[in-house]
Each structure stands twice: as C-alpha cells, then as structure tokens.
Amino acid sequence: MDSVSYADYDLVIVGSGFFGLTIAERVASELDKRVLVLERRSHLGGNAYSEREPETGIEVHRYGAHLFHTSNARVWEYCNRFTAFTGYQHRVFAKVADQVYAFPMNLALINQFFGRSYSPSEARALIAEQAGEIDTKDAKNLEEKGISLVGRPLYEAFVKGYTAKQWQTDPTQLDASIISRLPVRYTFDNRYFNDTFEGLPVDGYTAWLERMADHPNIEVRTEVDYFDVRDQIPTGTPTVYTGPLDAYFGNSEGALSWRTLDFEQEIVDTPDFQGAPVINYNDEDVPFTRILEFRHFHPERAYSTDKTVIVREFSRFAEPGDEPYYPVNTPDDRAKLLRYRELARKETANANVLFGGRLGTYQYLDMHMAIGSALSMFDNRIAPYFTDGRALAGTENVED
C-alpha cells in the first residue's frame, strides 16, 4: 500500500471520523473524484468506533457512549442513506448517596428528592425561592452560578460533586461561564434529548461508518500518521485536516487544553447490572463520573443473558499523548485559538488545506453537528473548488 502515489488522488482527508467520511463520501459520490483518507488509528470511525466484546457479543462504543440525535432534517436524511435507526430514546439516571433519580432535573426528581408531591407551579415556586439566595448576575464562580439557577439543595446533590470530578477542580475555583444554564423540567418528562429525530444505528456505528467509506473512489489507509507522510503529498493537493489544530502548526502558538476520558471495562456475571444504559454517580467520593451498560443501548438484540459489559468512565485533564475529548476553552485557550485560526486561513489560501471537525476547529461537536458542518463545507468550499474552479480560501474553513 505504501507504493501508492499520493498524486493519484484528487483530495486527501486526514481523519476518518464522521466529519472526514462525510466529506469523502460526498466528493466521491457527487463529484466522482478519488479520495484518500488517512487514519492514524488501526480502525476507521474516530471516536464513534464500536466493536463487539468477544466474550458476550455486546456492542461496546470504544470511546464512550455515542447517542445520535438531531433536529436537522437534512442531516437525518443523509444519515439514513447508510443506516436505519432504532427507536432508542436516551434516558439518564443519577445516583446520589443511596438513591437513584431520573435525570435531568424534572418533576419526578424534585418530588423524590424533597419527599413530597409538588404540582408544576409549586415546584417552580420552590426552586425559585431556593435559587433566590444568589442573583445570577452577581455569581462570581461556577458554584454561585449553579446555586443561582437551581438552589443550593439541588446544586449540592446533583452538580457540585459531579462537576468537581469532571474538572478536577473545586467549583468555587471554576469560572461561572462554564455553565450557561441548568435545565429543570417541571413535568415528568425524562427524555434526555428533545430533538426531532433520535435513535441508534441498527447494525452499529462501525457498520454505518464502513458503508460511508464503501465507494470505489475512496481508499482508507489506517495506521498512517499524516505528519509522517505529508511531505509525500504533492504541494497544493486539496486536503481536509480533522486532527488537532495546534498539532498541525507544531504547537507554535502553544498547546490548546482538553479534557480526556479514561475507561475501565468489566464483564460482570449477571444478566443486568444496573437496569439502564447510563447512571451518573454524582457524589464526589465516587471516583468515576458514570457507568455505562451497553446491553441496554440495544434491547432489541438477543444478547446473552448470563453476562453483561459495564464501563466506568473517569474524567481528567488531557496530557501529551492522551486522546482529546472536550475543549477546556479558558481565556488563554481562546486567545491561542484566534491566532491558530489566522494561521489556518493563511494555510487554506497558500496550501489548499481546510480545517474541520471537533479537533480541527477546537469545538465540541455532537455527531449530527459534525455531519452538518461537513455537508456545509462540501457545499460552500469543496464542490465549488472542483466544479467552478473557485479558491478554497474563505471564512468557512475554521468555525467561529
């Protein structure tokens, strides 16, 4: 495979997550161009990759739970070209002390937590009274902001410990801007997402991703680091880069900071460990943030009934070599990002490199957002380049 000439391809894509594969599929199918996808991992799909655990046959999302949901009709129609979806609706539960509550905060949680039945109007009045301790506009840190939104009792039970574990920082030392809102539903609705469309791919994420790449004009080369081979790519070859933005420029403006996740997988000799796909552990003295039980993501499948797979999830600051998940986005990061965006615009103009995806824009993107962004890049940048001879340079290459 190494003997293949990079000059044989019309477009090079770095990274095989949803953003990169959407671009690859559109260019191959709509423009009949040859596309080379370079992936440093041993598999395609980026963080959406899933695989069957061999002992139980249960499909596990290797990089944490991936839940597909969108209100974008175009994205939904596009995805359905490659996969059917189950009727799965995501529901989360939160364990505090010795009790489990339906989450996010709703009327059932309020009634259960405070030990009596409240009507919606009574619950609103209760939370408003408790939140009145601090005016939101006066909040100086995350803790004060949280109290001003939901009141001290709910904040201390459901937000304080979980946030401290997520950020490895006391909430009084975190900026209030980290949380813009804490939703409280004054109904018994415990559906986690409110989007028009929701479900999980019937045959799993990897099958979906493989279908996107299954085109004679697309070649995917795994275990290839772009930085090891980019000198072999002819100058000016259009490239879509979805790796870390700072890494592309050799961290010249400083490293951008990220949160990462660690996973501890266990096969348990029981048919059902927790009765739900996701249970958050909100108490600070529990080291992990949540437990995922993957059999519950696909109740329609005939999985073995004697064992189950659980994954404990831990959150921490990313270090060099870690997989980046969530941008920290401190003021220092934002200042660096502005400098990197300017470098990226120059690189697009000078070298025909576009930057996209979660890592390439330093933005957290849900799957539907990555796909939608890729469709927009194809429409606005890539298709006009190939069909009309327009320059790739433009403001759409790095998201604002």
Side-chain angles (χ1 to χ4, degrees):
M1 188 174 287
D2 289 335
S3 63
V4 175
S5 170
Y6 288 94
D8 293 339
Y9 299 93
D10 300 297
L11 178 70
V12 173
I13 296 175
V14 182
S16 66
F18 272 114
F19 189 97
L21 289 184
T22 298
I23 297 287
E25 188 279 327
R26 290 289 78 198
V27 170
S29 298
E30 293 296 305
L31 305 179
D32 195 28
K33 300 295 183 181
R34 293 198 66 194
V35 181
L36 175 64
V37 180
L38 301 177
E39 172 56 59
R40 65 176 177 80
R41 293 173 175 169
S42 62
H43 58 76
L44 61 69
N47 282 5
Y49 174 74
S50 64
E51 62 185 357
R52 291 187 178 274
E53 192 286 316
E55 186 175 343
T56 63
I58 295 173
E59 182 187 2
V60 173
H61 303 171
R62 183 52 55 204
Y63 302 94
H66 280 66
L67 298 314
F68 193 81
H69 56 97
T70 185
S71 292
N72 186 320
R74 184 191 183 195
V75 168
W76 182 249
E77 184 278 329
Y78 178 74
C79 295
N80 274 271
R81 299 179 191 183
F82 309 100
T83 181
F85 287 88
T86 68
Y88 178 86
Q89 292 186 338
H90 192 48
R91 288 176 169 81
V92 173
F93 297 85
K95 190 173 189 298
V96 175
D98 294 323
Q99 186 59 270
V100 175
Y101 301 85
F103 208 74
M105 297 181 204
N106 57 35
L107 196 55
L109 180 147
I110 292 170
N111 288 347
Q112 185 179 359
F113 184 78
F114 291 105
R116 57 152 289 193
S117 176
Y118 289 89
S119 69
S121 59
E122 290 171 336
R124 285 181 185 276
L126 172 69
I127 302 307
E129 179 184 358
Q130 293 177 346
E133 176 185 340
I134 298 174
D135 193 313
T136 298
K137 69 177 184 295
D138 297 329
K140 301 180 182 65
N141 54 56
L142 186 148
E143 178 159 302
E144 292 184 358
K145 181 72 169 289
I147 293 169
S148 76
L149 293 173
V150 299
R152 187 177 296 273
L154 292 181
Y155 165 78
E156 291 187 343
F158 295 98
V159 181
K160 183 174 184 176
Y162 196 86
T163 300
K165 290 190 292 186
Q166 276 190 313
W167 290 91
Q168 297 173 289
T169 305
D170 189 292
T172 61
Q173 303 304 310
L174 293 170
D175 194 89
S177 64
I178 290 176
I179 52 170
S180 58
R181 56 191 290 268
L182 282 173
V184 179
R185 297 174 184 168
Y186 296 98
T187 69
F188 290 97
D189 177 19
N190 70 331
R191 182 181 171 190
Y192 198 76
F193 303 115
N194 291 315
D195 288 288
T196 306
F197 310 106
E198 183 177 0
L200 293 176
V202 169
D203 300 319
Y205 281 102
T206 294
W208 173 6
L209 293 153
E210 288 175 343
R211 289 176 194 138
M212 293 180 71
D214 185 18
H215 191 286
N217 286 345
I218 298 175
E219 180 180 348
V220 179
R221 305 181 71 193
T222 57
E223 298 184 274
V224 176
D225 190 319
Y226 168 70
F227 297 111
D228 292 339
V229 302
R230 68 171 165 179
D231 289 344
Q232 302 172 41
I233 300 171
T235 302
T237 298
T239 300
V240 176
Y241 174 83
T242 70
L245 181 60
D246 50 359
Y248 183 91
F249 296 103
N251 292 328
S252 62
E253 305 302 316
L256 295 167
S257 51
W258 292 82
R259 302 289 301 167
T260 192
L261 298 175
D262 295 318
F263 303 101
E264 180 183 278
Q265 182 171 306
E266 181 182 355
I267 298 172
V268 185
D269 291 325
T270 180
D272 192 344
F273 179 80
Q274 63 185 17
V278 179
I279 293 185
N280 293 345
Y281 283 74
N282 296 58
D283 295 328
E284 190 172 357
D285 59 354
V286 178
F288 46 86
T289 55
R290 59 183 184 169
I291 293 181
L292 315 174
E293 187 172 5
F294 282 99
R295 73 179 310 116
H296 292 295
F297 288 115
H298 286 279
E300 77 282 1
R301 293 181 180 174
Y303 285 140
S304 165
T305 58
D306 60 338
K307 295 181 180 181
T308 191
V309 180
I310 64 169
V311 174
R312 296 176 182 87
E313 190 172 296
F314 302 78
S315 175
R316 60 179 174 83
F317 285 105
E319 299 176 359
D322 285 331
E323 203 63 53
Y325 279 81
Y326 308 103
V328 176
N329 207 20
T330 64
D332 184 49
D333 288 318
R334 290 192 289 273
K336 293 176 187 175
L337 181 59
L338 290 175
R339 298 195 293 271
Y340 280 124
R341 284 177 172 171
E342 184 57 32
L343 291 175
R345 290 188 176 101
K346 292 178 181 177
E347 193 73 357
T348 301
N350 297 331
N352 277 351
V353 179
L354 291 167
F355 298 81
R358 177 177 55 92
L359 303 179
T361 61
Y362 193 65
Q363 288 182 310
Y364 182 74
L365 299 176
D366 283 334
M367 290 176 286
H368 68 284
M369 298 167 67
I371 294 167
S373 179
L375 292 173
S376 295
M377 178 181 282
F378 173 78
D379 291 343
N380 298 324
R381 295 281 121 211
I382 297 173
Y385 171 86
F386 283 112
T387 59
D388 301 333
R390 295 185 195 173
L392 286 177
T395 56
E396 293 90 345
N397 64 313
V398 174
E399 300 287 343
D400 291 322

